[in-house]
Amino acid sequence: MRILLIMVLSLLGCSGSIDEPVSYFNVETPRPFGYVNGDEIPQRIVIETRSGIRLQPGSLPAKGQINRWLNLNQVTVKQTGRRYQIDLLYQVFYAPLEVKSLTLPGFTVQLSQGEKSISQDVPAWTFTLSPLRELVVRQTEQGEYMRPDVPPPLLANTQALYGLSASLTVAALIAAYLAYLYGCFPNRLRRTVFKRALRKLAGLSKADMEQALTLVHHALNSLNGQPLFSNQLGEFYRRNPEYMQISPQLAWFFNFSNRYFFSDGMIAVAQDFQQLKDLCEQCRKIERGSR
């Protein structure tokens, strides 16, 4: 009988904890010292409740000024099941002349279960605030002596200089390439016309004679600055006397080109194509100054 009575009393004693609306409550705060004017102080409140109990957000402190030296900058509520995490971020605006003890005010969190209201008190929290100036101010003959602030460190600008140099280099290369494409270096272009023609002729054969003749015509026209015809060779030699040494080959070229394009039944042979390549090679030697 006595054992049964003890078991009943034990169950009655445990039933109170089971019916508690708040199963877990904790206020997490940082260190209570070492703060100065303008510092922010975080505070976290963790509440775990029984099923069916909800937090009333309107019972939390509102953002804004709490008193003349304390602001509440942020209020965040995160719910995970029956667990509520309330994060508050205070900011202190107080400039004490000596170490001073201040208090974050407490408040009451309201919970609800249906129409029933449940209160949970959040206690006040005390911390210390330190002055920004020396506790004992040194004096000189001229009066109060204040130490100057430490000069701020200079930011490294090495990466910025490297980036600027690389950008300028790329811009200069692009500008030079565009100038080359638009013919701003005519002398340079004139010294590579037959080089480009030879490179293209290397991929052709006697079956491509029409394209090969067109390539050489284009090279001579580029060198002349305008279309060059056989009756204009005298003027061409006057402006480019170095090409006078291959005048027989140039005369052959214009004669052969006229017969190929304007005569019926003209058939090109391998010797004609080789003679055309030899002409282009001689022009290339003159172009680069080796003949």
Side-chain angles (χ1 to χ4, degrees), residues 96-97 130-137 139 144-147:
L97 298 179
S130 302
L132 288 173
R133 55 178 292 174
E134 296 175 297
L135 296 179
V136 179
V137 181
Q139 300 285 330
E144 185 175 312
Y145 169 75
M146 298 291 290
R147 285 179 294 177

Side-chain angles (χ1 to χ4, degrees), residues 202-216:
L204 302 178
S205 66
K206 68 175 183 177
D208 307 305
M209 181 59 78
E210 180 178 347
Q211 184 178 354
L213 289 171
T214 302
L215 280 174
V216 178

Side-chain angles (χ1 to χ4, degrees), residues 3-24:
I3 295 175
L4 182 59
L5 180 61
I6 292 174
M7 292 177 63
V8 171
L9 292 175
S10 299
L11 290 173
L12 291 174
C14 294
S15 64
S17 61
I18 294 175
D19 293 336
E20 287 291 333
V22 177
S23 59
Y24 178 80

Side-chain angles (χ1 to χ4, degrees), residues 2 8 28 43 54 58 87 94 96 99 117 129 166 200 212 248 261 271 275-276 288:
R2 179 179 298 177
V8 171
E28 301 175 6
Q43 185 181 59
R54 297 185 177 279
D87 289 304
Y94 194 98
V99 178
S117 180
L129 197 69
K200 294 177 181 179
F261 285 112
Q271 183 179 357
Q275 194 169 349
L276 183 64
R288 67 184 181 185

